[in-house]
Structure formats: C-alpha cells, structure tokens
Amino acid sequence: MKAFDKCPVCGGELIEKEVEKLLRGGDNFATMKVRADVCSHCGERLYSRKTIHLFETIQTKLEKRETSEFKPLGQSFLVQN
Ligand SMILES: [Zn+2]
C-alpha cells in the first residue's frame, strides 16, 4: 500500500527506484541505497515509514559514533577559507 499515488508536491507520476541517500549525524556522514518513490516530474523522493525509521536509526548511530558496523568510504574534509 503506497502512501501516495501521485507526487504530493506537483502531482507528477511516481516511479519506484533505487536511490542513494546521504545521512548525517553530528559530523559523520553515511550513504546508503534504498528504494524510494521518485517523482518523474520534480524529482521529489518519497520514502516508506520503515525506510525513514531506518534513516533515524543510522543518524543516531552516526551521532554517537557507533559506526563499527558501517563500511568506511573515504574521508570527509572541512575546507577553511
Ligand atoms: Zn513532483
């Protein structure tokens, strides 16, 4: 059961796709691939409640630096100018 039939922003058609989501918790970032309904018109992404809950869990872990189960993926740098 989908939450939306059409895009709630523009009314465009939603297509289920695998997308890459960037998550941030504190100074830490993680990316993950998830299924989302993506609007073919404006690009709005809609996630299921289960997926949103998963994002929140990961963000909390990032914030607490509980990242041992995540695979390292390069480093982040802060450029000061
Ligand atoms: Zn849209």
Side-chain angles (χ1 to χ4, degrees):
M1 184 75 186
K2 281 187 177 184
F4 296 98
D5 282 338
K6 300 266 178 201
C7 173
V9 178
C10 74
E13 198 188 338
L14 297 172
I15 298 162
E16 196 186 338
K17 277 188 195 177
E18 188 177 66
V19 298
E20 201 169 71
K21 172 77 175 172
L22 179 69
L23 296 162
R24 181 180 182 166
D27 286 335
N28 299 311
F29 294 88
T31 60
M32 68 181 299
K33 285 188 175 165
V34 292
R35 305 295 297 180
D37 287 324
V38 183
C39 175
S40 60
H41 185 72
C42 74
E44 177 77 5
R45 293 174 177 187
L46 301 166
Y47 302 103
S48 68
R49 291 177 79 126
K50 201 179 146 194
T51 304
I52 290 167
H53 184 74
L54 183 64
F55 291 163
E56 287 167 356
T57 306
I58 292 168
Q59 280 165 334
T60 305
K61 285 185 178 177
L62 288 170
E63 228 169 291
K64 293 180 180 168
R65 297 174 182 272
E66 290 171 3
T67 54
S68 56
E69 70 193 75
F70 304 147
K71 186 172 166 246
L73 186 78
Q75 273 183 285
S76 303
F77 300 96
L78 177 68
V79 180
Q80 288 175 310
N81 56 6

